[in-house]
Structures are given as C-alpha cells and as structure tokens.
Amino acid sequence: MAPRTRTGSKKDDRQAERFPFVVTTSSAKPDLATRKMVRQYAIRGAAKARRESNTYGKRNMLQYPPTPILQAPMRSLDKHDLDISTDRKECAASCVVLPQRTLEMHDDEREIHKHMTVSPLRAFFTHNNRPLIERLGAGRHDPFVAYPVEITEQRQRILDCVFDSRVGTLKPYRDAYYFIARDDASAFHQFLANAALHRTLYISEGKILRSHEATAFHYKALQLANRKIGNIEERVSDGMIATALIMAAYNHILLDLEAWNMHMDGIEKILNLRGGIETLNSNMRLRLLVSWLDVTGSCSLDRMPRFPLPNQYAPELPNLDDYRSPFAQYLRGMWQICYPNHPEISCLMDDLRVFNSLLGAEATWSTGRIWADGIVSGFWLNHIVRQSLCLQAAVDLNDAGSVICEAFRLGVLLYLAEIRRQFGVYPVVMHIHVSKVKALLKYSDVSWRSFLPLKIWVVAMALIEANTSQDKYWFAYEINSLAQDLNLGSGENLEDLLKQLFWYPQVHSVLLWTKIRALNLFAS
C-alpha cells in the first residue's frame, strides 16, 4: 500500500509516513470506507502503472501459458550491467538492468539454431521482453535470514550481484559458499571479499586483479579470524575452517598459489586437531567444499590433493551404453593387452568414457542444463580430476608405458579444463600441464605404436590450452607430423578422429578450429 500523505509541518509529515493495514476474510466484506481507501491507495496506483507500461489488464505472469523455449542464442550479460556503483546516475544501485530485447527469428534462422545448446533460463529471457525483476523467483535473497554482520548498502549491493543468476562465475558463491559463511562473521566478510573481487574481474574482463572493496573485506576477515585463534574452542570450529577455506579461494582467484597452500595447510592442521576430516560429515556443505577446493587448487599446481572426496554423497551414473564410443572401448582393450601392469589407466579411461558419454547424452536430452548442475561438477568431474592427480609417478623416458601413462594423465586434465570453466570453476590454470606435456614429448623417443591416435589427442588438448606463441607453434608442428602418420589430410579428418576418443564438440570443436585457423594448420 502507498503511504498516507498530508500537508502540514515536518513533524506531521514524518508522522504521516505510516502504512494502513486492512485485515479481512473471504466471508466478511469490507465496509465502504475501507473499500474506498483500498481503491485510493492501491488499485488506482496499480492501474496507472499498468497503463503507462502498456500492461493494463495483465495481472500476473501466471495467467498465461509458458512461452515455448526456442534454442536460440541471446545477448550475454554485459559487463556494464554489473557496474552498480553510486556513480551511475541513470539507474538505481541494484542488480536490476534494462529489459532484454525480444529476439525475432525467421524460419531459416530457426532451422540453423535449432540444434544449438543454450541454457533454458537464457532462452526464457530471450523470448520474454520483460524486465528481469518481473521473472518469477527473482529479486534479492531471503530478507528474513539472520546475518552475523550488519547488512549495509555496500554489502547489500554485493549480495545482489551474488544472487544475480546470470553471472556464471558467481554461481559457486550463490550455491555453496553463501551457506557456510552466513553463520560466522569472519567467514562472511571473506565471502563478501571474494564476491567483490569476482565482480571486479567480470567488469574489467579479467584485466584488474585487485579491488579496494575486496581488500577491505579481506583484512576485516583476517582481523576477526586472528581473534578466534586465541580462543581454544573457536580455533577449531566450523566457522574458523570456513574462514580459512574462503580465504584459500580468495588467494586462488588472485593466483597466489603459495598463500592458497598455506591456508589449506592450516585447514589440515585444524582437522587433525579435531580428529580428521570425518568430523565435518555433519556439515555436508563444508565437507564438500573443503575437498572440492582442495582438488581445484591442487590441479592448478598439478600436485596430489590432501583430502579424499566424500563419495557417500555421490549419486550413481545412469546407463549410457548407447552413447559410448566403440573406438574408445577398443583403445581401452588394447591398453589392457599391451600394458597390464598399469590397470589404473584402464580405470581412468573407463571413468572418462562414462563422463564423456554423460556430456554427449546431455547434449541430446536437454538444452545445456548440465552446466548448472553442481552434482555433475562436484562429484563426477572432480572425481576424474582427483583420480588423474593421484596417478603422478616418476616417469622413465625410455619406457613407453610410463611415458604414455603420464601423457594420458595430463591429457585428461587438459581435456577437462574448458569443461570445468563451463561449470563455473574459476580460475582454471593449466600452464604447468602444457609445459609438462611439451617436455615429455620433446625428450622421450618411445614408440606409441597402436596408440598414435591417443598421442594426437593429447597434443590437440595441449594446443587448445597453450597460451604462448612458442607453445602453439610447437604443438601445431607435432599435429602436422602426427596427421601425416595417420593419413589425416584436413582439419575435418582430425576432428572426426578426436570425436571417436574423448571429445565434447560444443566445447572442444570451437576451440580447436579457432587454433587451426589462427595457425593455418592443414593449409598446404
């Protein structure tokens, strides 16, 4: 209801800012005065607003059937939409942006875009010309949640960005970190620091790695955490572990892997004092995040993780035999015959084949909803990453089995790199793995025999993730050489071979062809 207003002194005006409430039931009809007041303060204002917005008579979205979701691309969230600083005069300090433009497509364009993978939420915005605040379930977080700190306007703006579902890189904070941080003051300040840093990175397109706002929250969290260390109970509490965990994530965002390692060492010491990581089983979210961040940071350093994954929460994969590649199955059988002393590679091939089948099946079943599924990324994806990290061993450059094992292990991590980014993992750092693949192939001279297709797959994965010009041209030369040995005369032939191994076309094909065109591969 609109507030009552009347003329008079300032004191009277302040007293007049009160809301009238009407209590009624379906059986009792309000009296004439009450009905008049309702019309004066509510109905007339709503009708005027609808006339001005050309929605008169449209009471709510539930009156209409849902708009069919066409699989068409849409404009992604622009970096300026998150610039919610008070310096912008044209919009309020909130996460509400201008309405999305309605996409009109002709029949031939629909045919082109019919098989494209796109999130249903993004497709819904594309074909509904409404302000985002009007969509069902939109708006700020739960206003009745009790927070460990006072929610000022600055903190509210950061929370609004966290709960803006269009920003994929903030999804882990919205779905996981928020729930372990809101019970502890130091953890919540660090949560705000991480979210503010992510927002700065998004607006600057990754060019600015520092945020004054994030730094202020981070030092406040450090100050509160140092006070806890003096308390014998709080130093081993869930809140202290959550604070150290989110600080480790903060340093991982800044690529300060030494500081990340220091915080993870602190978490390991706290858990040892408590009796092991099993003491976190009563706090499922915290237990999962400790293991998941351990896998993420360990992958950036290519080192073995500290903590096991909580497999008791993992669901079973569906039966996906119809989607599995026969050539990948044949390759696994060949490995078991040629190198029976390395059964761990057979298990890794099995798991990767099943996961690759899941991605292929998801492309058929849905329109990209898999990228919003935390179970897939948290359990199945992290399981394969951790399994690959744990297969590290001393490499004998004169032993073909040892070389191929290490090359395949690194290839799996490179294959999963862009997939992890699509799931919202940030940052995914792979320069160590690219360097290891290059050194391994450069200084070993073993025969790959029947596993040449696997070798060109590893080189293609390294080429996709290579950043320096020197690395790109080195891997391009290797692909040209291997393509001649395998009678691959074009980029299409190479892609067809890779699709028979471990390949997700919606992700890897785009990246591969970008590199092929940039380096003029197969241009002869």
Side-chain angles (χ1 to χ4, degrees), residues 316-326 329 350-365 370 376 380:
E316 294 183 3
L317 276 172
N319 186 2
L320 301 169
D321 290 336
D322 295 339
Y323 297 91
R324 296 178 183 177
S325 166
Q329 289 180 296
D350 265 341
D351 290 343
L352 187 61
R353 186 162 51 88
V354 170
F355 181 75
N356 194 67
S357 301
L358 174 68
L359 291 178
E362 177 62 23
T364 303
W365 293 341
I370 192 172
V376 174
W380 299 330

Side-chain angles (χ1 to χ4, degrees), residues 94-356:
S94 70
C95 63
V96 182
V97 298
L98 297 176
Q100 302 288 339
R101 178 178 61 86
T102 302
L103 181 64
E104 296 180 0
M105 301 179 64
H106 301 291
D107 293 338
D108 56 344
E109 292 175 324
R110 285 197 186 91
E111 185 65 26
I112 293 174
H113 295 293
K114 182 171 62 175
H115 301 292
M116 293 188 66
T117 300
V118 63
S119 165
L121 182 62
R122 292 165 65 87
F124 176 79
F125 288 149
T126 304
H127 298 283
N128 288 271
N129 187 20
R130 293 180 177 272
L132 293 177
I133 198 62
E134 289 186 12
R135 61 187 170 92
L136 296 179
R140 294 182 174 184
H141 50 91
D142 188 349
F144 302 104
V145 173
Y147 290 101
V149 300
E150 180 185 357
I151 302 301
T152 62
E153 183 179 354
Q154 178 194 31
R155 295 166 183 169
Q156 183 65 67
R157 289 200 304 269
I158 296 175
L159 287 174
D160 286 345
C161 286
V162 170
F163 284 86
D164 190 335
S165 58
R166 299 161 299 164
V167 186
T169 55
L170 284 172
K171 187 179 184 297
Y173 295 94
R174 181 171 59 252
D175 296 346
Y177 286 105
Y178 169 77
F179 295 97
I180 69 169
R182 68 183 187 186
D183 295 328
D184 184 86
S186 58
F188 196 79
H189 277 95
Q190 189 59 52
F191 166 80
L192 294 173
N194 291 27
L197 181 59
H198 261 290
R199 188 185 67 182
T200 300
L201 287 168
Y202 185 82
I203 294 174
S204 66
E205 297 179 344
K207 298 175 183 177
I208 301 176
L209 290 177
R210 293 291 177 182
S211 165
H212 296 297
E213 198 173 37
T215 303
F217 283 123
H218 175 62
Y219 281 109
K220 181 63 176 179
L222 284 173
Q223 183 183 27
L224 294 173
N226 287 332
R227 295 176 186 173
K228 286 185 178 182
I229 295 177
N231 188 307
I232 194 170
E233 293 182 359
E234 290 187 348
R235 73 175 65 171
V236 295
S237 64
D238 285 4
M240 189 65 189
I241 295 175
T243 301
L245 183 69
I246 304 176
M247 285 182 178
Y250 178 83
N251 287 288
H252 188 251
I253 297 170
L254 295 174
L255 300 180
D256 188 350
L257 298 179
E258 183 178 350
W260 171 87
N261 194 52
M262 178 188 69
H263 286 298
M264 295 304 295
D265 285 342
I267 293 174
E268 187 175 18
K269 292 178 182 178
I270 293 174
L271 290 174
N272 289 337
L273 291 174
R274 290 176 51 142
I277 195 171
E278 294 78 13
T279 58
L280 291 180
N281 287 343
S282 58
N283 190 340
M284 183 183 70
R285 283 193 175 92
L286 186 57
R287 172 67 180 87
L288 292 174
L289 284 174
V290 167
S291 295
W292 292 351
L293 185 61
D294 181 35
V295 169
T296 301
S298 298
C299 185
S300 298
L301 292 168
D302 195 33
R303 52 159 290 172
M304 291 190 181
R306 294 172 173 80
F307 307 111
L309 289 174
N311 293 322
Q312 64 267 30
Y313 303 119
E316 294 183 3
L317 276 172
N319 186 2
L320 301 169
D321 290 336
D322 295 339
Y323 297 91
R324 296 178 183 177
S325 166
F327 185 72
Q329 289 180 296
Y330 164 78
L331 199 66
R332 176 186 177 277
M334 286 292 298
W335 179 267
Q336 290 179 322
I337 294 172
C338 297
Y339 302 105
N341 295 329
H342 296 283
E344 66 279 359
I345 296 298
S346 299
C347 295
L348 182 58
M349 285 184 178
D350 265 341
D351 290 343
L352 187 61
R353 186 162 51 88
V354 170
F355 181 75
N356 194 67

Side-chain angles (χ1 to χ4, degrees), residues 6 31 41 57 61 64 115 156 177-178 181 204 216 226 236-237 248 288 292 332 378 393 397 446-447 455 475 482 506:
R6 62 173 182 264
D31 56 25
Y41 291 113
M61 293 173 64
Y64 306 96
H115 301 292
Q156 183 65 67
Y177 286 105
Y178 169 77
S204 66
N226 287 332
V236 295
S237 64
L288 292 174
W292 292 351
R332 176 186 177 277
L397 296 178
V446 298
S447 173
K455 182 177 183 180
F475 288 116
L482 292 170
Q506 286 84 346

